[in-house]
Amino acid sequence: MPSAPCTPRFCVDSTGSRAGVPRAALRLATLLSVLTFGIVLIPVVGRIAAAPRDRLIRFWCRTMVRAAGVRLRVTGATPPAGGLLVVANHISWMDIPLIAAVRPGRMIAKAEIRQWPVVGALTASSGALFIERDRLRALPRTVERIADTLRVGSTMVVFPEGSTWCGRAQGHFRRAVFQAALDAGVPVQPVRIHYRLDGGPDSTAPAFVGSDSLLTSVWRVVSARALVAELDLRPVLAPEDHADRRELARAAQGGLRSPGPHAHPYGV
């Protein structure tokens, strides 16, 4: 199974201080309130037409990000309409609401998440496709399900590294999911996720790696001062321009490692 060498001890910035505890506690309470409110409304939102539903999801996710004390900055190419495979580097649990704040879509999630308190139920209710990473025989069927979802014009959001990294290092994109885009004939949009302190250096505080517990990672985020999440939406890759999934995966990851060509903001 994919894994990263990143550990909380050596890779993750500390954000805790006694002076910041009241602020962090308030942020955590607000974040939980926003999360609970959204969970309660899931049955209602599920009956709404696609366009207004996506607007509500984007608003809810932006509100979650703000409640955690994180500022979101988005630059790059506007996501196209229709079926789209969104692929991104993976650093934190925060990556999920960040992407949904721009382009809501069905997620690919590891089966273990289904057992997590609150998060598991929320992920399942969003229509996520759960995969068992240690069952290689199930992989072709998973790729087929992703392709079927893309063919009907839906968005799939995937983290092809298969594991979270601290942000200063990055894993290799696994190729299987790119076969779904080729089979469905839909474009791929790479998204680069990056965390930094406002006006300052890069930050690994949001990283959810190694032996980290979810609560510990959440507390680091709400304890951080002036944390900024940057999403750079790279130009879409047309499937017909790439010979196979290996080449498509290489192009997607190569685009994320190079400096972004887009300086203009994409409003969310």
Side-chain angles (χ1 to χ4, degrees), residues 3 5 16 19 50 66-67 74 83-84 87 90 95 102 125 144 149 158 160-161 197 205-206 213 222 227 256 264:
S3 62
R66 292 192 189 110
V74 184
L84 179 68
V87 296
H90 201 10
D95 301 345
V102 177
S125 64
E144 183 180 341
T149 302
V158 184
E161 291 166 303
L197 300 181
S213 70
V222 298
L227 189 62
L256 295 187
H264 63 280

Side-chain angles (χ1 to χ4, degrees), residues 126-200:
S126 71
L129 297 180
F130 291 98
I131 61 171
E132 297 182 24
R133 297 184 299 168
D134 56 346
R135 290 188 59 205
L136 291 179
R137 291 183 179 180
L139 186 57
R141 175 55 183 157
T142 299
V143 172
E144 183 180 341
R145 292 172 65 193
I146 297 172
D148 289 342
T149 302
L150 294 171
R151 287 190 186 100
V152 298
S154 297
T155 299
M156 291 295 308
V157 179
V158 184
F159 301 106
E161 291 166 303
S163 180
T164 50
W165 290 66
C166 68
R168 294 193 177 112
Q170 184 175 324
H172 294 289
F173 277 8
R174 306 284 165 157
R175 300 187 298 269
V177 68
F178 293 92
Q179 185 63 49
L182 292 171
D183 293 345
V186 303
V188 176
Q189 183 162 38
V191 176
R192 181 177 183 267
I193 301 173
H194 183 232
Y195 295 93
R196 68 168 59 251
L197 300 181
D198 194 11

